[in-house]
Amino acid sequence: MNPVAQYFSDIFHAVGSLWKGLRVTGYYFVHPRQIVTQKYPENRKHLEMFDRFKGELILVHDENNQHRCNGCGICQINCPNGSIEIITDSVTNEDGKPERIIDKHIYHLSMCTFCGLCVKNCPSTALAFSQQFEHAVYDRSKLTKVLNQPGSSIRKEPKTPKVHAEPMSKSNPDN
Amino acid sequence: MQEAELQDILTSREDGEYIINIGPQHPSTHGVLRFVVSLKGEILEYLIPHCGYIHRGIEKMCERLTYQQIIHLTDRMDYLSAHMNNEVISLAVEKGMEIEVPERAKYIRTILAELQRLDSHQLWWSAFGMDLGGPTCFFYGLRDREKILDIFEESFGSRLLHSYICPGGLMNDIHPNFQTRTKEFMKYFRKKLPEYDDLLTGNVIFEQRTKGLGTLSKEEAISYGLTGPCGRGSGFSCDIRKHHPYSAYDKVEFKEILYDEGDTWARYKVRIDEMWESMNIIEQLIDNIPAGEHTARMKPVIKLPEGEYHQRVETARGELVAYIVSMGDKYPYRLHFRTPNFNNLFVINRLAAGYKIADLIAISGSLDLVIPDIDR
Amino acid sequence: MPFNIYDFSVTTKAVDEYFKAHMSPTWAFVMELLIVGLVFLIVYAIIGLYLVLAERKVCAIMQNRYGPNRVGKWGLVQTIADLIKLLMKELIPVRKSDKFLFNVAPYIVIIASFMAIAAIPFAKGLQGVDFNIGVFYMMAVSSIGVIGTLLAGWSSNSKYSLIGAMRSGAQVVSYELSVGLALLAVVIFSGSMQLSTIIESQANGWWIFKGHLPAIIAFVMFLIASTAEINRGPFDLAEAESELTAGFHTEYSGIKFAFFFLAEYMNMFIVASLAATVFLGGWMPLHIGSLESFNRIMDFVPPIFWFFGKTIFVIYLIMWFKWTFPRLRIDQLLTLEWKYLLPINLLNILLIAFLVLMGWYFK
């Protein structure tokens, strides 16, 4: 093409490409319903996280304030960076033999990397992730939590053979 | 050696040349990376990158962790290719223990890797557009990325650092909604990706700022060890998914995207086309996930037999290699990662010398660097 | 002429008579000056503040989010809060800077934009000064702002500010040519440089319609060139945040930075109102030739609403450009001006002169 025609075709090509871009932003300007952000602190009441959301580690307590942790320490062994410390105690059970119970299940939220190995490997499925995500505190010692609530005791389950540990307890039709 | 070079420059610089520091904190370097730049007027003469600001000693830490515990650390190397990082260790261990992973797990691993590639390229596009001066691109890319993050959050509970693919298969089975959500996302994103082209790719201002900039020939790309979209933009065919297929990649049909020009524009186009290809791969696999177990039976304590094992995967940025030396113990004796960003970074002196500062931003954006991957 | 348009010169004459009746002529003059100055200051401040908010809201909706919406209903008090914050910031003086020039630079930009606002016709008779070289005056006065920019860069004693100021200076000086030539197009059509005459000549239709193709080309040229004049939109390399040199106003903080910021938005308003006056008819309602009934319906909306409506439309166009396109590099900027805008403008002027001579336009 001779230079003059090239010059004008360049200009038309340029203006056309710019117009295509303008159309995209112009479309979003006249469609304010496409706004995707949420007004966060005001919508706390309606906010629902997903079931499997990894918010914070908890020992699952039922309505009788009972949990299933027997202090075996497998979660402590599996944790890669020592976020869990188990302190056990010894009591005499009804057969007269000494039995190990959990005294304190200490969890360092400041060090946890939420890898999920403790939850997956717990043989009694005592641990789970809650959906609480607002962890900001002014005092760092508040991030060291004791997971077994005061006054709770272990709930004894009848001994059944376990095939797979399914801590998420969601029924999987494909499995 | 770098200090000696720096001293050379400082003592031998001519009049009118000055040294500035594009410091570790800068909105355009996408991480903590320091460039020491020698400028003459506005033209760059020499550029030395200093990495290491986010070195955490991952390889050393892995020497006293079991193989299941290493998974959560690999997430944090290139956090935008978290699934591929997890996959490389899992595949290496499975190769060593000669475990057969169930088909279901292989299909899901492939789908997750492609979703992760899509998500990584979306974030790259957003950041690239914003660096070049169009902040609107940032919001559009992130808005679409939120849908992928919702898919991940529903199945694994976390958006960025998953630790999901582990030796033997997967940690848990996927959520029942996974397939529906992914299919909906495919329909949605196929309509939105042409908008990216309208906004940035076809734009005459963008074309002028990237065409012909930072050209790298194929021989130079091979000699610098550039892999991934950067290498493929120069014509170097290096896609591990094609040459050494793993997981379910031998069961899908997809093209390897190659461009010959080797400039910033070609590297950009490679990534946009890879997004289309990833969508094709996912659509071929999503309806055909076989039923079955999601993980193979593994002993609680994994001990790799004595020897050396290595495995390569294709992350969103290039070729990641894991190399394990085992003494028969439950901990690896030595674990080394060859990360793609390390090689991609050090070509920047060759690319950016002779251009202006505004071009440096465009070039380093097109290389798509994630700094924690360089430093581990 | 439009029907039942209120002529503000009636009010101004009444006020003038009132003052002359009660004090000596000099004092009356001084009082009038004070009133005009006060009115302009308030208008300037309010428009400036709300333009900043409007930009943030417009860009937010284009990016699928809300924009400021917490401080006051719909974020209306947001800019006032920002202003109070800027007023309370510490004014950090720069070591070894030229103190006098450093302090004077923000004032020069504000003075330049103030002088330009004085000549804009808001409604019939509602104009600060009505020169017979109105268009020429606006061009001349907005060029004074460049001096402020260059002084700011020079006196900051920082090489990055100097690079930014020099780039900005080169850009503004080049694009002034295109702005002038685009305005010249309408001057040829209407035959006068006086702004009120230009508006009254649009009583039977706006120049962008009457002057068909060449006027549309001139309008587009004017928009592009004036966006570059005010250092905005895809031409804001001088103050780019994601690059190394943060621009000529890096070293300014507090109220001085607020002046630069405000002057940028007011320049946008001035350029938009100039486009609205010259191409889109200023305060003149939309008239179509001699369709009397249509024209009477259009006349019911007061002229000041027409003026602000058109200005807001042009401001929206300028904001739309900024938030869609990536930035141009300095050499691409200058190529655009010297190789594309200037030749097309010159050809356009030639074409318009020919059309006016042959009478081939809607009179």
Side-chain angles (χ1 to χ4, degrees), chain B residues 119-148:
Chain B
D119 146 2
S120 164
H121 286 328
Q122 278 170 336
L123 184 67
W124 159 81
W125 186 82
S126 309
F128 194 45
M130 186 175 72
D131 281 343
L132 287 184
T136 324
C137 305
F138 191 71
F139 290 95
Y140 291 164
L142 288 188
R143 167 200 66 191
D144 300 329
R145 186 169 175 251
E146 283 296 311
K147 302 235 177 330
I148 300 189

Side-chain angles (χ1 to χ4, degrees), chain B residues 18 20 26-28 42 130-136 139-140 143 199-200 203 205-206 208-209 356-359 361, chain C residues 61-65 159-160 163 167 234 236-237 241-245 322-332:
Chain B
Y18 52 86
I20 55 175
H26 194 264
S28 299
E42 243 195 69
M130 186 175 72
D131 281 343
L132 287 184
T136 324
F139 290 95
Y140 291 164
R143 167 200 66 191
L199 204 50
L200 207 57
N203 204 330
I205 303 174
F206 178 76
Q208 285 201 335
R209 274 196 81 167
K356 307 187 183 63
I357 299 181
D359 301 328
I361 309 287
Chain C
I61 299 187
M62 282 186 186
Q63 293 165 354
N64 288 340
R65 56 189 176 91
K159 51 191 173 227
Y160 311 137
I163 295 179
R167 281 189 199 162
D236 60 353
L237 195 63
E241 289 140 14
S242 59
E243 319 239 335
L244 181 62
T245 56
K322 170 168 181 158
W323 294 107
T324 311
F325 301 133
R327 218 170 268 137
L328 268 81
R329 227 173 35 207
I330 188 74
D331 56 326
Q332 292 164 349

Side-chain angles (χ1 to χ4, degrees), chain A residues 80, chain B residues 61-67 69-70 72-73 330-332:
Chain B
M61 281 201 277
C62 291
E63 287 175 11
R64 43 173 190 79
L65 292 176
T66 63
Y67 292 97
Q69 291 169 333
I70 291 178
H72 85 105
L73 279 183
K330 60 179 172 166
Y331 304 138

Side-chain angles (χ1 to χ4, degrees), chain C residues 41-306:
Chain C
L41 268 175
I42 296 177
V43 159
Y44 192 87
I46 293 185
I47 295 184
L49 286 179
Y50 283 97
L51 262 185
V52 175
L53 179 69
E55 156 128 65
R56 285 172 75 169
K57 286 293 242 187
V58 161
C59 99
I61 299 187
M62 282 186 186
Q63 293 165 354
N64 288 340
R65 56 189 176 91
Y66 284 108
N69 61 354
R70 288 218 163 91
V71 187
K73 178 103 177 124
W74 302 321
L76 287 174
V77 186
Q78 174 77 41
T79 338
I80 300 184
D82 284 339
L83 185 66
I84 297 178
K85 175 198 82 166
L86 277 174
L87 283 173
M88 297 201 292
K89 278 203 175 197
E90 180 187 355
L91 298 175
I92 304 175
V94 180
R95 211 180 346 153
K96 294 201 223 163
S97 66
D98 194 331
K99 286 212 177 38
F100 175 64
L101 292 179
F102 188 75
N103 291 327
V104 138
Y107 295 107
I108 296 187
V109 275
I110 293 268
I111 290 173
S113 56
F114 238 110
M115 286 168 76
I117 271 208
I120 297 180
F122 287 89
K124 186 171 168 70
L126 196 63
Q127 202 172 351
V129 277
D130 194 10
F131 285 119
N132 56 346
I133 47 164
V135 167
F136 185 65
Y137 167 79
M138 300 273 289
M139 284 281 323
V141 143
S142 35
S143 316
I144 298 184
V146 169
I147 301 183
T149 312
L150 289 173
L151 282 183
W154 168 258
S155 63
S156 299
N157 195 26
S158 153
K159 51 191 173 227
Y160 311 137
S161 307
L162 190 59
I163 295 179
M166 289 300 154
R167 281 189 199 162
S168 167
Q171 178 186 328
V172 170
V173 161
S174 317
Y175 277 91
E176 268 171 13
L177 278 169
S178 291
V179 170
L181 285 176
L183 285 178
L184 203 60
V186 170
V187 169
I188 301 182
F189 271 127
S190 67
S192 147
M193 281 208 240
Q194 190 168 6
L195 282 172
S196 46
T197 319
I198 294 184
I199 295 183
E200 276 163 26
S201 71
Q202 303 186 59
N204 59 343
W206 299 340
W207 278 121
I208 197 174
F209 300 126
K210 287 205 293 191
H212 51 93
L213 186 62
I216 297 180
I217 296 181
F219 180 60
V220 171
M221 296 285 136
F222 181 78
L223 269 186
I224 299 177
S226 51
T227 325
E229 273 279 300
I230 54 182
N231 269 330
R232 220 191 120 81
F235 308 100
D236 60 353
L237 195 63
E239 41 181 65
E241 289 140 14
S242 59
E243 319 239 335
L244 181 62
T245 56
F248 57 88
H249 56 60
T250 345
E251 305 289 340
Y252 286 91
S253 53
I255 189 64
K256 300 199 186 114
F257 171 71
F259 274 167
F260 276 115
F261 197 56
L262 197 63
E264 182 182 318
Y265 282 94
M266 284 317 286
N267 280 341
M268 181 167 72
F269 177 77
I270 291 168
V271 145
S273 59
L274 196 57
T277 310
V278 159
F279 288 99
L280 294 178
W283 48 257
M284 188 67 67
L286 173 65
H287 289 160
I288 301 184
S290 46
L291 286 181
E292 278 303 316
S293 39
F294 179 76
N295 293 350
R296 286 199 170 206
I297 300 177
M298 289 288 131
D299 283 347
F300 274 110
V301 182
I304 201 155
F305 283 113
W306 280 105

Side-chain angles (χ1 to χ4, degrees), chain C residues 27-39:
Chain C
W27 274 113
F29 186 57
V30 168
M31 283 303 295
E32 284 168 14
L33 283 182
L34 275 177
I35 294 182
V36 168
L38 210 61
V39 164

